[in-house]
Amino acid sequence: MNSEYAQKTTSADQNDPAIGGRDTPATSDAPSMATLKGWDDTADSDEGERPPLPPRPKTIELLGSTQTSPANTLRVPKKPSRPHLQSTATTAVSLTDIHTQSYSDGSRETYAQSNVSSPSRKSSRFASPAGYPRKSHNGSEADDSASVRSFAPGTSLSSDVEGLLGEAMSTEQSGAMWNLGREKTDGFDQDIVPYDNEEPTADFSREFDEIGELHEDSDNQEELLDQWRSKRKHFHILSAAGKPIYNRHGSDNLISGEIGVIQTIISFYEGARDQLRSFTAGKARFFVMTRGPLYLVAISKLDESDSQLQAQLEALYMQILSTLTLPTLSQLFSKRPSTDLRRPLQGTDGLLSALADSFTRGSPSTLLSALECLKIKNRQRQIINSTMLKTKCKDLLYGLIVAGGRLVSVVRPRTHSLHPGDLQLIFNMLFEAGGVKAGGGESWIPMCLPGFNKNGYLYMYVSFLELEQTDDEVGDATNPEEGIAILLISANKESFYELRAMRDNLVEELDKNGQMETIKQAVKSGRLAVTDIVPRTVLKHFLYKSRGNLQYVMPSYEPHYTTLLERRRLLSLYHRLHASVHSKESRLKVHHCISRDSMSLAWATPLFELYCVTTPTVSRNVLAQEANKVVQWIRKEEERVFIIGGAVF
């Protein structure tokens, strides 16, 4: 019986290297099969010898090792039934530690941090799939070189940790609390605006450079197309028949192929009775808006939402209506669908381009759908309003005084108010395009205000009053040209001389009562610095919108945002905050956002919207306190920073 069992064991185990099969080297110390057979047959025999026992492990950790057992032992190591506990006593319920960060202002804030560091490149090939922690040699759940990011490329953290970390999983933080015990990991650095500083177009000012003309032999076509593709924002307007009307960058001959592709995509969806609104291609967002016989297309790489792009296209459409009126536009295309609209719009490309460039640079007025007013004392504004009512002529419909691109005073009928979009068109024509001011003196301009009445024209008398500047004064190159403009609007096209006489009387009265000098001094002083509004504040900038008045307040960009690129990045951050509190899917009342360069806050109430930015090392409690201080200051200065009611008749 024992012989049969030994023969079966021999045939079954000859190929097992763990017990001395054919793969075992000749010098192995493992006992031979003959020895095993003799031991089984003659257990009490003097000639039989027992096999040597396996060596006892020197350390207890070897019992939990998952390494393959050596060939000279019969014991197959067991896999531990459960992971070893941590080597030191702890009350933690997870591998994430909660720390408290103290700030110089005395405030504190808690945040989550893994108690392990990031994996090295050498061990990356042994990494476990996402969501499954890798066993370490000491049996713990996580290796000493693991981190929160190691386990969550798709953010598989618990909800409390995810809420505390916020955007830390996608951006590299530069604050002190984010660098404690953690190595820099490649692939997680990204900025508020996805600009590559190594690109040839890293200088944002090149965004507005004009693309050259295409040669007759088209030998420079590829070079020009590369310049066209490098632009971060494009606007195209074309007719339903495919006729190009306006392109912000590139001539019709250069980008005819791209325009044809856009037209084909739009027509395909219209043929399927499915209106195309937006889509993403690469890093660019495409938004399509249809207004009657016109297609308006926005292409943006600046991380803007669909609603923000739609508002910009609406402004461009209103600019076209301000020149043609809606009945004229409809009549042209009803008679001939293939009408070339470039001839009726001749001379307005400068207005469209100035408006489009303001969107690319970043326009708080367009983002908030609100106007900015010049800050003066309430008593002084009342004197200006009274002076305008005193000198009002019979045919006056609207009267405005605008200084430095900000509204000073407005006189209007009691039953009518000016639409913010109409005022934006007026400001764009006066200060951004510069054509009216370049003419000097006074101008008489027929203009349609679509927000007031898109079916007819109004007539606007414009007069500029130049500011006296010394050679030492240097204006802000990115702001509208400093100056005072008096705008008098009438529905009577024969009222030019009447409005001119009103302008002369108004200037004379303002000089007498000293309010003209008040306006000039306010323009020269510029916007207040954020530290003038809230002393010793940690805020770098903010935007405040009064929903009831449709007006907004902001401090000076100085000293934190001096370049065009820095201001564009700031406005991109405001765009993201604005989109978060106006999203249809989930409307937030308070939204915190942290990135490697800043911490920001969006606060929306039925009365106001507030967006503010500070450094990433400031705690949320301090940021909330500073936001409250801004709100308190604006409530105190409300009659100075806003026009409440205005002068009505």
Side-chain angles (χ1 to χ4, degrees):
M1 185 69 183
N2 293 337
S3 300
E4 295 177 358
Y5 174 77
Q7 291 176 0
K8 292 179 180 180
T9 303
T10 302
S11 60
D13 297 331
Q14 282 180 348
N15 296 329
D16 192 346
I19 57 175
R22 66 181 60 180
D23 293 335
T24 304
T27 59
S28 173
D29 295 333
S32 63
M33 294 307 300
T35 304
L36 291 175
K37 181 177 180 180
W39 176 41
D40 290 336
D41 289 340
T42 59
D44 298 331
S45 174
D46 295 336
E47 297 178 359
E49 295 182 1
R50 294 179 181 273
L53 294 175
R56 185 180 297 276
K58 296 180 180 180
T59 58
I60 194 66
E61 287 79 8
L62 291 178
L63 294 177
S65 176
T66 58
Q67 295 178 355
T68 306
S69 59
N72 59 355
T73 179
L74 294 176
R75 182 184 295 272
V76 178
K78 287 185 177 181
K79 188 175 182 179
S81 59
R82 64 173 183 171
H84 288 287
L85 299 176
Q86 298 186 17
S87 59
T88 58
T90 180
T91 58
V93 295
S94 68
L95 293 177
T96 301
D97 293 338
I98 303 299
H99 299 274
T100 300
Q101 176 74 18
S102 299
Y103 298 91
S104 58
D105 55 11
S107 61
R108 295 182 179 181
E109 183 177 16
T110 58
Y111 63 95
Q113 181 186 355
S114 173
N115 57 3
V116 288
S117 59
S118 59
S120 62
R121 294 184 180 273
K122 294 181 180 180
S123 60
S124 61
R125 58 192 181 96
F126 299 105
S128 301
Y132 297 91
R134 182 165 54 91
K135 295 284 186 179
S136 64
H137 293 295
N138 59 9
S140 63
E141 287 289 342
D143 193 6
D144 292 338
S145 62
S147 69
V148 172
R149 291 183 179 175
S150 304
F151 298 109
T155 315
S156 59
L157 297 173
S158 60
S159 58
D160 56 342
V161 176
E162 183 179 0
L164 288 171
L165 288 179
E167 196 186 1
M169 300 303 299
S170 61
T171 57
E172 187 73 23
Q173 308 299 337
S174 60
M177 68 179 184
W178 300 106
N179 293 327
L180 294 176
R182 180 172 60 85
E183 298 178 0
K184 183 177 179 180
T185 305
D186 294 335
F188 288 95
D189 283 339
Q190 65 180 30
D191 212 327
I192 296 176
V193 183
Y195 293 155
D196 186 355
N197 291 331
E198 296 181 358
E199 290 181 357
T201 57
D203 185 3
F204 191 68
S205 60
R206 300 180 187 175
E207 179 74 16
F208 309 103
D209 292 347
E210 296 295 335
I211 298 178
E213 294 293 332
L214 185 65
H215 295 168
E216 294 183 359
D217 55 359
S218 301
D219 58 343
N220 62 338
Q221 182 175 4
E222 289 300 324
E223 178 184 354
L224 297 180
L225 284 176
D226 289 341
Q227 295 179 16
W228 182 82
R229 297 187 187 101
S230 68
K231 304 296 183 182
R232 295 183 177 94
K233 200 159 188 178
H234 296 272
F235 291 100
H236 302 289
I237 303 176
L238 58 153
S239 66
K243 291 276 188 177
I245 299 173
Y246 170 77
N247 301 312
R248 175 56 192 96
H249 298 292
S251 62
D252 295 340
N253 295 333
L254 179 64
I255 59 174
S256 59
E258 285 74 8
I259 297 298
V261 171
I262 295 175
Q263 171 68 18
T264 301
I265 294 175
I266 296 175
S267 300
F268 173 80
Y269 278 86
E270 284 192 345
R273 296 181 180 179
D274 184 11
Q275 185 177 2
L276 177 64
R277 288 184 57 84
S278 62
F279 62 93
T280 301
K283 297 181 180 180
R285 183 67 175 175
F286 290 71
F287 188 86
V288 181
M289 186 181 76
T290 304
R291 289 293 180 269
L294 302 183
Y295 294 144
L296 297 95
V297 182
I299 306 174
S300 176
K301 301 178 184 178
L302 300 179
D303 194 21
E304 296 169 292
S305 66
D306 288 352
S307 60
Q308 293 162 359
L309 294 176
Q310 182 178 5
Q312 297 170 17
L313 293 179
E314 287 283 4
L316 292 175
Y317 178 66
M318 291 179 67
Q319 183 67 64
I320 293 177
L321 291 184
S322 69
T323 304
L324 296 178
T325 73
L326 182 60
T328 303
L329 180 66
S330 302
Q331 184 179 7
L332 287 173
F333 283 96
S334 62
K335 293 182 177 180
R336 186 179 179 185
S338 60
T339 297
D340 186 0
L341 205 60
R342 286 185 179 272
R343 180 173 298 178
L345 291 176
Q346 187 175 6
T348 62
D349 282 358
L351 296 175
L352 291 170
S353 296
L355 195 59
D357 289 347
S358 69
F359 301 151
T360 305
R361 287 192 300 268
S363 172
S365 178
T366 304
L367 175 65
L368 301 176
S369 298
L371 298 172
E372 185 181 12
C373 299
L374 186 69
K375 181 180 179 295
I376 57 176
K377 294 181 179 180
N378 182 42
R379 180 178 57 84
Q380 296 171 338
R381 201 184 305 273
Q382 289 179 353
I383 295 176
I384 297 174
N385 293 341
S386 300
T387 304
M388 294 188 70
L389 289 175
K390 179 181 177 181
T391 58
K392 183 186 77 69
C393 64
K394 178 182 177 181
D395 290 331
L396 181 69
L397 181 61
Y398 291 110
L400 299 91
I401 299 179
V402 184
R406 287 165 284 173
L407 191 61
V408 178
S409 179
V410 57
V411 57
R412 61 179 179 84
R414 189 176 301 275
T415 56
H416 296 286
S417 60
L418 276 172
H419 192 277
D422 292 340
L423 287 175
Q424 183 183 21
L425 295 179
I426 295 174
F427 288 3
N428 174 69
M429 178 180 61
L430 298 182
F431 298 102
E432 297 290 345
V436 176
K437 188 174 182 180
E442 53 192 9
S443 302
W444 182 249
I445 305 171
M447 185 177 183
C448 172
L449 299 180
F452 174 76
N453 181 13
K454 62 180 68 175
N455 296 322
Y457 289 103
L458 296 176
Y459 300 89
M460 182 169 60
Y461 172 86
V462 182
S463 175
F464 274 96
L465 306 177
E466 296 294 339
L467 293 177
E468 296 179 1
Q469 292 183 342
T470 63
D471 296 337
D472 297 334
E473 294 176 345
V474 180
D476 191 345
T478 61
N479 288 336
E481 292 186 24
E482 294 183 349
I484 301 175
I486 297 178
L487 291 81
L488 305 176
I489 302 174
S490 173
N492 183 6
K493 62 180 180 180
E494 304 295 338
S495 60
F496 172 80
Y497 295 102
E498 186 178 357
L499 295 180
R500 174 197 273 181
M502 176 184 170
R503 177 262 182 197
D504 294 338
N505 294 333
L506 177 61
V507 172
E508 182 180 355
E509 291 294 330
L510 291 177
D511 286 333
K512 286 181 180 180
N513 56 33
Q515 298 311 308
M516 184 62 70
E517 184 63 25
T518 298
I519 297 174
K520 292 180 179 180
Q521 290 299 326
V523 173
K524 291 181 179 180
S525 299
R527 299 184 180 94
L528 293 176
V530 67
T531 52
D532 296 333
I533 297 174
V534 182
R536 298 184 301 275
T537 183
V538 296
L539 295 180
K540 300 170 66 177
H541 200 268
F542 69 83
L543 288 178
Y544 180 98
K545 174 187 175 181
S546 173
R547 288 185 166 180
N549 297 314
L550 294 179
Q551 299 168 31
Y552 74 94
V553 180
M554 75 174 188
S556 173
Y557 288 112
E558 306 291 341
H560 302 290
Y561 306 97
T562 57
T563 66
L564 185 61
L565 180 58
E566 290 172 344
R567 296 181 185 182
R568 174 62 247 191
R569 290 181 173 179
L570 174 65
L571 266 297
S572 293
L573 176 56
Y574 284 146
H575 276 77
R576 294 172 62 185
L577 294 174
H578 183 272
S580 66
V581 296
H582 289 84
S583 174
K584 295 181 180 179
E585 290 75 13
S586 59
R587 282 185 174 268
L588 302 175
K589 301 301 180 184
V590 179
H591 175 65
H592 285 90
C593 179
I594 185 168
S595 68
R596 72 173 185 182
D597 293 327
S598 64
M599 175 180 281
S600 52
L601 169 69
W603 183 9
T605 72
L607 299 178
F608 65 85
E609 298 175 14
L610 176 63
Y611 309 91
C612 49
V613 181
T614 184
T615 58
T617 56
V618 175
S619 66
R620 293 186 178 182
N621 293 334
V622 172
L623 179 58
Q625 294 172 5
E626 298 298 302
N628 276 306
K629 292 179 181 178
V630 171
V631 174
Q632 293 172 6
W633 178 84
I634 291 179
R635 287 177 179 175
K636 180 182 177 182
E637 303 287 332
E638 186 174 17
E639 293 183 344
R640 295 188 177 190
V641 297
F642 297 136
I643 298 177
I644 301 177
V648 296
F649 58 89

